[in-house]
Amino acid sequence: MQAHPQVAEVQQQGRIIVINMCAASDAHSQRVADAGAIEAIVAALQAADPEEWDEVEQDCCQALANVCSGTCAAGLARKQRAADAGAIEAIVAAVQAHPQVA
């Protein structure tokens, strides 16, 4: 995802992999975070077209939810890392731009 930020197919497949890997375990979530996925996902969400709610926003939100899951110290650190990367603002902007999407 970091090497090909403008290639939509790479971004989409990367988001799907993150969603699936992070659903498996906290250890997987940590490895994904350590690889820089949180920042890559936030960047993709920030770069998404604000006029159109699509799979990008949906996948990014799901990927962030999965990678940031957990109440252990590592999970809380991943949540803070996402916040520091701008995830909160990006998610709020996406939600505000698309109030009709349930």
Side-chain angles (χ1 to χ4, degrees):
M1 292 176 72
Q2 294 170 334
H4 303 285
Q6 301 304 320
V7 181
E9 183 67 19
V10 171
Q11 296 301 307
Q12 180 182 28
Q13 292 302 315
R15 291 188 307 270
I16 291 168
I17 290 167
V18 168
I19 289 167
N20 291 334
M21 286 187 69
C22 294
S25 74
D26 188 63
H28 288 160
S29 294
Q30 191 59 50
R31 288 186 68 189
V32 167
D34 290 344
I38 291 173
E39 292 79 8
I41 294 164
V42 171
L45 185 56
Q46 291 168 333
D49 184 353
E51 298 298 316
E52 180 178 327
W53 179 267
D54 60 15
E55 290 179 3
V56 173
E57 288 95 345
Q58 184 174 342
D59 288 350
C60 287
C61 289
Q62 182 63 55
L64 284 169
N66 286 9
V67 76
C68 293
S69 67
T71 56
C72 62
L76 297 175
R78 291 190 301 271
K79 288 174 179 57
Q80 184 61 56
R81 185 170 171 180
D84 292 345
I88 295 170
E89 294 81 3
I91 292 167
V92 169
V95 170
Q96 289 177 334
H98 307 286
Q100 73 286 358
V101 178

